[in-house]
Amino acid sequence: MELYFLGTGAGMPSKRRNVTSIVLNLLAERGTCWMFDCGEGTQHQALKSPVKIGKLEKLFITHLHGDHIYGLPGALTSRSYQGGDTPLSMYGPKGLRAFVETSLLVSDAHLAYPLEIVELEEEGLVWEDDAFRVTAMRLEHRVECWGYRIEEKDMPGKLLTDKLRELGLPSGPLYGRLKSGQDVTLPDGTVVRSADVIGPPIAGRTVVILGDTRYCDGARELARGADVLVHEATFAQNRQELALAYDHSTSVDAARVAGEAGAGTLILTHISSRYQEEEADVLLHEAQELHADTHLAHDHFSYTIARKPAGAL
């Protein structure tokens, strides 16, 4: 599981930062990737990266400001040309369907795959299968805006094969039964309990990706106990009044959310174009004073979310 940042700027692109788009690489887990927001030029950014638009399985939109959605028509059509023929699901605020369908209609675009668009109405569960769960909550921004919490479910521990060999069990079908949770009775009447030969469970990982927001309860609730929190940091702390006026966050706001939520790694993104090159370091240093485990994302920055040791739930 890896986060890859295609665009990390705010409002409008700059020479150093394109507008917002983040990819959650799940190739190892499910052979696909998920995208969060798709600002103008996202498909061009993908061409300079390992990201394959054809591998997109889900696309989550936080809100309908242009710097988060103007790349959608190009990315959706390019997915067809890059071999994407499997269904694609999109999630986002009311109005997303009208934007996408109108863009495709007036440009006479034809997709080679089924497209499902889900407009969010209530906070809570967005999607779930046997391996992942996605929930969403409203944030505080000038327009309806959502944050997403992606939770990988815990996995069963590994089969303790050394212990099985000590008990005299040859490898084969019995191993599979024990791995699936079934107890096994040996020819001599000995009962081997599955629970005794399975190691501790492997904890799932939790990633929280927020849209544009001022400091708010929704952000804190979504981020509670997350392994990684991606939070906007449009301004430095000396621009707090400007941040409040436009319903954005400062680097200190982001660090406060991470600390109060007990989140692990904090990654700052959505950086105003006023902070170029070394000037952006002030955002990082301000956040690190409150939350030491903080990174400042830049375009094509990647971060691998490592698994916790077995049993560390």
Side-chain angles (χ1 to χ4, degrees):
M1 185 185 289
E2 174 197 47
L3 284 166
Y4 193 96
F5 291 78
L6 291 172
T8 57
M12 57 186 293
S14 68
K15 291 181 179 180
R16 296 287 181 176
R17 296 178 184 273
N18 198 52
V19 286
T20 299
S21 183
I22 302 167
V23 170
L24 182 61
N25 181 341
L26 297 172
L27 292 175
E29 290 77 14
R30 56 195 301 120
T32 64
C33 57
W34 297 355
M35 181 178 287
F36 295 79
D37 288 334
C38 187
E40 180 183 0
T42 291
Q43 65 170 321
H44 293 276
Q45 292 289 89
L47 291 173
K48 306 170 190 174
S49 79
V51 173
K52 303 299 181 186
I53 297 293
K55 292 288 187 180
L56 275 181
E57 176 191 18
K58 295 186 177 297
L59 213 164
F60 299 88
I61 299 299
T62 62
H63 64 294
L64 301 183
H65 277 157
D67 57 316
H68 295 256
I69 65 168
Y70 283 171
L72 280 175
L76 292 176
T77 52
S78 289
R79 184 177 187 267
S80 292
Y81 302 138
Q82 295 185 23
D85 55 6
T86 55
L88 174 66
S89 298
M90 294 180 60
Y91 307 83
K94 185 176 181 180
L96 178 61
R97 180 185 302 278
F99 175 79
V100 171
E101 292 183 348
T102 301
S103 299
L104 297 178
L105 177 65
V106 300
S107 61
D108 194 30
H110 301 278
L111 305 183
Y113 54 86
L115 176 63
E116 175 192 29
I117 301 176
V118 179
E119 294 187 333
L120 304 179
E121 296 181 2
E122 298 181 358
E123 296 181 325
L125 184 67
V126 171
W127 175 84
E128 184 175 23
D129 69 359
D130 59 356
F132 286 89
R133 177 190 301 112
V134 181
T135 54
M137 291 188 72
R138 287 185 175 88
L139 304 174
E140 294 185 14
H141 194 46
R142 290 177 292 152
V143 298
E144 181 181 331
C145 189
W146 296 82
Y148 296 97
R149 180 182 176 96
I150 305 94
E151 297 174 277
E152 180 186 37
K153 297 182 180 180
D154 297 341
M155 296 188 298
K158 295 182 178 180
L159 196 62
L160 303 177
T161 54
D162 288 347
K163 191 169 185 177
L164 290 174
R165 283 193 287 268
E166 290 176 6
L167 294 171
L169 266 75
S171 60
L174 293 183
Y175 278 34
R177 290 174 56 188
L178 289 165
K179 180 68 174 176
S180 67
Q182 301 178 53
D183 296 340
V184 168
T185 302
L186 302 181
D188 64 2
T190 301
V191 176
V192 180
R193 297 176 62 249
S194 173
D196 294 336
V197 293
I198 298 290
I202 300 169
R205 294 158 286 184
T206 299
V207 182
V208 173
I209 299 175
L210 304 182
D212 293 3
T213 184
R214 64 197 299 175
Y215 173 83
C216 69
D217 292 339
R220 209 167 42 244
E221 184 61 30
L222 274 177
R224 200 159 306 280
D227 295 292
V228 179
L229 167 63
V230 179
H231 198 300
E232 71 129 294
T234 308
F235 300 106
Q237 183 61 18
N238 64 356
R239 301 280 181 174
Q240 178 72 56
E241 291 186 6
L242 192 59
L244 290 173
Y246 288 96
D247 285 338
H248 281 295
S249 292
T250 67
S251 53
V252 170
D253 291 330
R256 285 177 62 199
V257 170
E260 293 168 6
T265 299
L266 169 65
I267 303 178
L268 306 178
T269 189
H270 200 269
I271 309 303
S272 169
S273 59
R274 72 181 64 236
Y275 304 105
Q276 296 292 325
E277 300 183 19
E278 296 83 6
E279 295 171 344
D281 289 341
V282 67
L283 303 172
L284 177 63
H285 298 326
E286 286 183 346
Q288 286 178 331
E289 288 183 3
L290 294 181
H291 193 82
D293 188 4
T294 299
H295 300 266
L296 178 66
H298 53 79
D299 288 13
H300 303 293
F301 171 78
S302 65
Y303 183 85
T304 299
I305 302 130
R307 292 192 183 278
K308 298 175 184 175
L313 299 177

